[in-house]
Amino acid sequence: MRIGVIGYSGDINEPPVKYLREICEDLGRKIALRNHVLITGGTDGIMDLVSKGAKENGGTVIGIVPGKENGNSYLSYELKTGIDSSMRSVLMMYNVDAVISVGGKAGTGLEIFAAYLMRIPIILLRGTGGWTDRISNVLIEGKYLDERKLVELKSAWTVDDAMNMLENKRA
Amino acid sequence: MRIGVIGYSGDINEPPVKYLREICEDLGRKIALRNHVLITGGTDGIMDLVSKGAKENGGTVIGIVPGKENGNSYLSYELKTGIDSSMRSVLMMYNVDAVISVGGKAGTGLEIFAAYLMRIPIILLRGTGGWTDRISNVLIEGKYLDERKLVELKSAWTVDDAMNMLENKRA
Amino acid sequence: MRIGVIGYSGDINEPPVKYLREICEDLGRKIALRNHVLITGGTDGIMDLVSKGAKENGGTVIGIVPGKENGNSYLSYELKTGIDSSMRSVLMMYNVDAVISVGGKAGTGLEIFAAYLMRIPIILLRGTGGWTDRISNVLIEGKYLDERKLVELKSAWTVDDAMNMLENKRA
Amino acid sequence: MRIGVIGYSGDINEPPVKYLREICEDLGRKIALRNHVLITGGTDGIMDLVSKGAKENGGTVIGIVPGKENGNSYLSYELKTGIDSSMRSVLMMYNVDAVISVGGKAGTGLEIFAAYLMRIPIILLRGTGGWTDRISNVLIEGKYLDERKLVELKSAWTVDDAMNMLENKRA
């Protein structure tokens, strides 16, 4: 599967990204070890940490970056899109089979909606803060972004739970 | 000002759009009468109703439509973007000075985030349901989408309140 | 009809744009007087001059600008696309019924191909130099860009000829 | 280097693509053997043949496809862009260090202009027909697309010549 990971951008040595280092590297590692391809927005913050975890464990990491920006140093392949960060987030969703969300500011919020609108299953890695936790308070029937019920958002409380949920999605 | 109106798409004769007919036509009328330009996604649902209100009162209405779709019948000018609905929503935000949100499914949710990320002031027309009301329950300090406080989301409970808030924004 | 005019960008007081001032203003004027809508890339060079001719004669002028750039001062409405100049040129072609080409550097060359690929009829205003004249030397059967014969490129030697050709297209 | 190959789309068993099979597979093979990454539009025609040559010789092949189309069967990684074929061609140019052109209809013509406008060096593989040969008849000083001289277009008459030219570009 091609697994998109979304979440906080920003300096990896500052909160809130700093506190998510371990969970992100573990997530990247497990994506790699289970032979999934990791797709991210390619830049800093949790995208950097998850990519490190995947790359150092033999995984394939694709970064879909806004504009002509340079991606982080753990990318197997980087795609410059020439478009702004929000449009790029929409484009990214054409290229994933599922999304895992970790914390996140408004850009992550937009990505959750973009994924839902394309019916991409979304796993919220709960307890990581930001829009990942916040969105769960306003879901319809606890799992949809609107009445159309296009696709479910599921809550996972550990990386292992998230991985299991993703793989069951496929079955 | 160029005022973007976002909200429910769908059949104007079916709920929930049906119940918002009066408020939408009134909103369009007031945008026109105060000499603002109305910008919408150009298609059906509340976009159709607000455009009707503006057009029938001498206003200018621009529809920024996805793909090669045909816009509704109240447009002064229609721009076909060739891109999908979500990317088009991002592009629309380059072209508005403020946004008013009326009800709305997940596409409206995405638009609220897209506006915020470009620091476009957002007026939530409360009581109209959907993401317009839902998002207000999870705002930071009751008015921001994240800790960066890029721009405020304000709640208006009547069309007149919304119009006043928008015009004060400018001052 | 919505008529796209493409051609040289650049300073209107410097060659080659400087020498095309009269023809461009005349073209804009005639587009306006015949009640067509003028569509351009919205910025400088011949886009500025044709827009001036149209606007000063009561015409409607739409500028579809790259990125967040500000358009020239003769636009009835400006659409900022957020995308780069070349992608914007492609998007522009979704919004025109025919194209008139005046001189032009490589950006104009790209626009001629973009129009052809969307089957938009193209009038080359011959004698204006640049790609408008250059492309005419390598057309297949003197009028097509490839063997598929998607749409014709026609040569006009005066503004009046160009206007007549466009209107016949419609018939 | 990331080498973009552009040219005829269409059925690989029909002319003109059919007659270019050998040269395309050889080109792909040499790109792979010299450890370059091959970037194409990801679909059929010469894109398919060059990708086959690269993939069967251990190369990395990236396909940047329009819309949600499925790429050909020789891609190491496929990126769906969600945008139309022409916009996609522009986006592709953000991701290549040089372009080799083989034959080609109008879409290839557009790509040559898009590459030039981003100052990507272009090698015309002469004798392959289409816009690759046609454009060479109208170059300024035999090597530029306009007076700005943004980047050179060079003619190569064999695959080996093309490869040598590309690698010298880098020096």
Side-chain angles (χ1 to χ4, degrees), chain C residues 41-171:
Chain C
T43 57
D44 60 6
I46 71 98
M47 295 176 276
D48 192 2
L49 296 174
V50 179
S51 297
K52 181 171 188 285
K55 193 67 183 305
E56 290 180 352
N57 287 279
T60 298
V61 185
I62 310 288
I64 298 179
V65 301
K68 301 183 179 184
E69 278 184 40
N70 287 315
N72 64 56
S73 50
Y74 303 104
L75 302 179
S76 312
Y77 188 70
E78 169 192 298
L79 189 101
K80 297 186 201 289
T81 58
I83 51 181
D84 78 10
S85 189
S86 298
M87 281 194 191
R88 176 276 320 253
S89 293
V90 176
L91 191 156
M92 177 179 152
M93 296 307 159
Y94 285 110
N95 293 283
V96 298
D97 299 307
V99 163
I100 299 177
S101 184
V102 184
K105 291 175 288 187
T108 304
L110 182 143
E111 285 170 332
I112 291 171
F113 281 90
Y116 176 84
L117 286 162
M118 286 192 220
R119 299 173 189 267
I120 311 290
I122 300 157
I123 308 290
L124 303 168
L125 195 50
R126 300 295 303 281
T128 55
W131 276 99
T132 296
D133 282 320
R134 205 172 293 127
I135 200 77
S136 67
N137 295 323
V138 280
L139 295 174
I140 289 171
E141 296 179 20
K143 53 189 175 182
Y144 302 112
L145 285 178
D146 61 25
E147 294 75 5
R148 290 172 295 181
K149 304 182 181 181
L150 299 179
V151 72
E152 282 189 32
L153 290 87
K154 291 193 171 171
S155 285
W157 291 89
T158 66
V159 168
D160 287 328
D161 277 358
M163 295 308 299
N164 291 335
M165 281 177 183
L166 279 175
E167 291 172 354
N168 291 338
K169 276 271 174 281
R170 210 179 196 179

Side-chain angles (χ1 to χ4, degrees), chain B residues 31-103:
Chain B
I31 288 171
L33 294 180
R34 300 197 189 193
N35 292 310
H36 300 302
V37 173
L38 171 63
I39 317 282
T40 78
T43 56
D44 60 7
I46 73 98
M47 297 176 275
D48 192 2
L49 297 175
V50 179
S51 298
K52 181 170 187 286
K55 192 67 184 305
E56 292 180 351
N57 288 279
T60 300
V61 185
I62 311 288
I64 299 180
V65 301
K68 302 184 177 184
E69 279 182 40
N70 287 317
N72 63 57
S73 51
Y74 303 104
L75 303 179
S76 313
Y77 187 70
E78 168 191 298
L79 189 100
K80 296 184 200 291
T81 59
I83 51 182
D84 76 11
S85 189
S86 297
M87 280 193 191
R88 175 279 316 255
S89 294
V90 176
L91 190 155
M92 177 179 152
M93 296 306 158
Y94 285 108
N95 293 285
V96 298
D97 299 307
V99 164
I100 299 177
S101 184
V102 185

Side-chain angles (χ1 to χ4, degrees), chain A residues 6 11 22 31 33 37 39 48 60 73 84 86 99 125 127 135 157 164 168 171:
Chain A
I6 60 176
D11 190 327
E22 209 171 324
I31 288 172
L33 294 181
V37 173
I39 316 282
D48 192 1
T60 299
S73 49
D84 77 10
S86 297
V99 163
L125 193 50
I135 201 80
W157 292 89
N164 290 335
N168 290 338

